[in-house]
Coordinates of all heavy atoms in Angstrom, one line a residue:
F18 N 110.5 102.1 130.8 CA 111.2 102.4 132.1 C 111.2 101.0 132.7 O 110.2 100.3 132.8 CB 110.5 103.4 132.9 CG 110.3 104.7 132.2 CD1 109.1 104.9 131.4 CD2 111.1 105.7 132.4 CE1 109.0 106.2 130.8 CE2 111.0 106.9 131.7 CZ 109.9 107.2 130.9
N19 N 112.4 100.7 133.5 CA 112.5 99.6 134.3 C 111.8 100.0 135.6 O 112.2 101.1 136.2 CB 114.0 99.3 134.6 CG 114.0 97.9 135.2 OD1 113.5 97.7 136.2 ND2 114.9 97.0 134.6
Q20 N 111.0 99.1 136.2 CA 110.3 99.5 137.4 C 111.2 99.9 138.5 O 110.9 100.8 139.3 CB 109.4 98.2 137.9 CG 108.7 98.5 139.2 CD 107.6 99.6 139.1 OE1 106.5 99.3 138.6 NE2 107.9 100.7 139.6
V21 N 112.4 99.4 138.6 CA 113.3 99.7 139.7 C 113.8 101.3 139.6 O 114.3 101.7 140.6 CB 114.5 98.8 139.7 CG1 114.1 97.4 140.0 CG2 115.4 98.9 138.5
E22 N 113.6 101.9 138.5 CA 114.1 103.2 138.3 C 113.0 104.3 138.5 O 113.3 105.5 138.4 CB 114.7 103.3 136.9 CG 115.7 102.3 136.5 CD 117.1 102.6 137.1 OE1 117.2 103.5 137.8 OE2 117.9 101.8 136.8
V23 N 111.7 103.8 138.7 CA 110.7 104.9 138.8 C 109.9 104.6 140.0 O 109.8 103.5 140.5 CB 109.8 104.9 137.5 CG1 110.6 105.3 136.3 CG2 109.2 103.5 137.3
P24 N 109.0 105.5 140.5 CA 108.2 105.2 141.6 C 107.1 104.1 141.4 O 106.5 104.0 140.3 CB 107.4 106.6 141.9 CG 108.2 107.7 141.2 CD 108.9 106.9 139.9
A25 N 107.0 103.3 142.5 CA 105.9 102.3 142.4 C 104.5 102.9 142.7 O 103.6 102.4 142.2 CB 106.2 101.2 143.5
D26 N 104.4 104.0 143.4 CA 103.2 104.6 143.7 C 102.6 105.3 142.3 O 103.4 106.0 141.7 CB 103.4 105.8 144.7 CG 102.0 106.6 145.0 OD1 101.2 106.0 145.7 OD2 102.0 107.7 144.4
R27 N 101.3 105.0 142.0 CA 100.8 105.5 140.7 C 100.7 106.9 140.7 O 101.0 107.5 139.6 CB 99.4 104.8 140.6 CG 98.7 105.1 139.2 CD 99.4 104.2 138.2 NE 99.3 102.8 138.4 CZ 98.2 102.0 138.0 NH1 97.1 102.6 137.4 NH2 98.2 100.7 138.3
G28 N 100.4 107.6 141.7 CA 100.3 109.0 141.6 C 101.7 109.8 141.4 O 101.8 110.7 140.6
E29 N 102.7 109.3 142.1 CA 104.0 109.8 141.9 C 104.5 109.5 140.4 O 105.2 110.4 139.8 CB 105.0 109.2 142.9 CG 104.7 109.6 144.3 CD 105.7 109.0 145.3 OE1 106.6 108.3 144.8 OE2 105.7 109.3 146.5
L30 N 104.1 108.2 140.0 CA 104.6 108.0 138.6 C 103.9 108.8 137.6 O 104.5 109.3 136.7 CB 104.3 106.5 138.4 CG 104.6 106.0 137.0 CD1 106.0 106.1 136.6 CD2 104.1 104.5 136.8
E31 N 102.6 109.1 137.8 CA 102.0 110.0 136.9 C 102.6 111.4 136.9 O 102.7 112.0 135.8 CB 100.4 110.1 137.2 CG 99.7 111.0 136.2 CD 98.1 110.7 136.2 OE1 97.7 109.6 136.7 OE2 97.4 111.6 135.8
R32 N 102.8 111.9 138.0 CA 103.4 113.3 138.1 C 104.7 113.2 137.3 O 105.1 114.2 136.6 CB 103.6 113.7 139.5 CG 102.4 114.1 140.3 CD 102.7 114.8 141.5 NE 103.1 113.8 142.5 CZ 102.3 113.1 143.3 NH1 101.0 113.2 143.2 NH2 102.9 112.3 144.2
L33 N 105.6 112.2 137.5 CA 106.9 112.0 136.8 C 106.7 112.1 135.3 O 107.5 112.8 134.5 CB 107.6 110.8 137.4 CG 109.1 110.6 136.8 CD1 110.0 110.0 137.8 CD2 109.1 109.7 135.5
L34 N 105.8 111.2 134.8 CA 105.6 111.1 133.4 C 105.0 112.5 132.8 O 105.5 112.9 131.7 CB 104.6 110.0 133.1 CG 105.1 108.6 133.3 CD1 104.0 107.5 133.0 CD2 106.3 108.2 132.4
V35 N 104.1 113.1 133.4 CA 103.6 114.4 133.0 C 104.7 115.4 132.9 O 104.9 116.1 131.8 CB 102.6 114.9 133.9 CG1 102.2 116.4 133.6 CG2 101.2 114.1 133.8

Side-chain angles (χ1 to χ4, degrees):
F18 303 87
N19 192 310
Q20 177 64 77
V21 301
E22 306 285 357
V23 297
D26 178 79
R27 186 73 60 86
E29 291 182 3
L30 177 60
E31 179 159 344
R32 286 191 290 273
L33 184 145
L34 290 175
V35 167

